[in-house]
């Protein structure tokens, strides 16, 4: 079955701009989580959506937001971009229920560079 | 605050050598997972360990969960260049069964032919 699809794969923005990233989860998965990966901080949890509701949130400023649609597809938005937002943004899907250990299936990521 | 510390951070070895990667915490985890990430790709789940003292084998990879469920290890026997990548341990934050995982900083493994 198809895996997790993230678009765009690469993008370059300038400080102050905003960006929207998209994620299509594995068919049947209702949970979508977003992570930021940087060389210095590693993988850090941004937020999780389950059935269109934010279920968990990490310690990121309000400039980072997300949403989930009725077909489980998710978007995340970063407003007023800063240089430090340059990172690989990873989306992961899971069943969310019935799978007891929270095993995640990751997309290939969206590489954001802020100039 | 739950933290996972991995060691070593970097490992460069020759093909055929054995290695062990450690993942330690002061907190108890209901389960721990190991992922491998290759350049330009997202992490891929290798295994989940659930029971204290559990040992799981995946071909040349052996995963162990500590008796107290605070640590885990990954042992690779006769490493091959295809094993090169970033190895990450992760555990659920809080009660589990959510997408919120805590990740270790990762171990970058390079296996030279």
């Amino acid at each position: 079955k198809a895996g997790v699809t993230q678009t765009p794969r690469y993008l370059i923005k300038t400080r102050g701009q905003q960006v929207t990233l998209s994620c299509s989860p594995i068919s049947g998965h209702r949970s979508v989580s977003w992570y930021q990966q940087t060389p210095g901080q590693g993988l850090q949890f941004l937020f999780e959506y389950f059935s269109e509701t934010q279920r968990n949130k990490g310690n990121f400023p309000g400039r980072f937001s997300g949403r989930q649609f009725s077909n489980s597809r998710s978007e995340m938005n970063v407003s007023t971009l800063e240089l430090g937002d340059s990172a690989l943004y990873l989306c992961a899907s899971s069943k969310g229920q019935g799978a007891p250990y929270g095993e995640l299936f990751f997309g290939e990521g969206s590489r954001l560079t802020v100039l | 605050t739950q933290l996972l510390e991995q060691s070593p951070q970097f490992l460069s070895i020759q093909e055929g050598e054995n290695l062990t990667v450690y993942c330690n915490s002061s907190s108890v985890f209901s389960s721990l997972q190991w992922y491998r990430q290759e350049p330009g790709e997202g992490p891929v789940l290798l295994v989940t360990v659930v029971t204290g003292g559990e040992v799981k084998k995946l071909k040349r990879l052996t995963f162990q969960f500590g008796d107290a469920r605070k640590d885990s290890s990954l042992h690779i026997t006769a490493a091959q260049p295809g094993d090169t990548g970033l190895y990450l341990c992760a555990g659920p934050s809080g009660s589990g069964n959510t997408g919120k995982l805590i990740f270790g900083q990762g171990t970058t493994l390079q296996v030279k032919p």
Side-chain angles (χ1 to χ4, degrees), chain A residues 102-113:
Chain A
E103 294 153 335
L104 302 181
F105 297 84
F106 284 88
E108 293 180 313
S110 293
R111 172 75 63 185
L112 170 65
T113 301

Side-chain angles (χ1 to χ4, degrees), chain A residues 1-5 24-27 93:
Chain A
K1 58 184 177 182
V4 178
T5 304
S24 293
I26 291 171
S27 178
S93 78

Side-chain angles (χ1 to χ4, degrees), chain B residues 10 17 39 47 64 86 93 95 112:
Chain B
F10 301 97
E17 292 184 11
V47 77
Q64 186 163 7
L86 177 67
S93 173
S95 59
K112 293 180 271 190

Side-chain angles (χ1 to χ4, degrees), chain B residues 92-113:
Chain B
S93 173
S95 59
N97 195 19
T98 73
K100 186 176 183 180
L101 297 182
I102 295 166
F103 280 84
Q105 286 291 87
T107 296
T108 300
L109 171 63
Q110 180 187 47
V111 182
K112 293 180 271 190

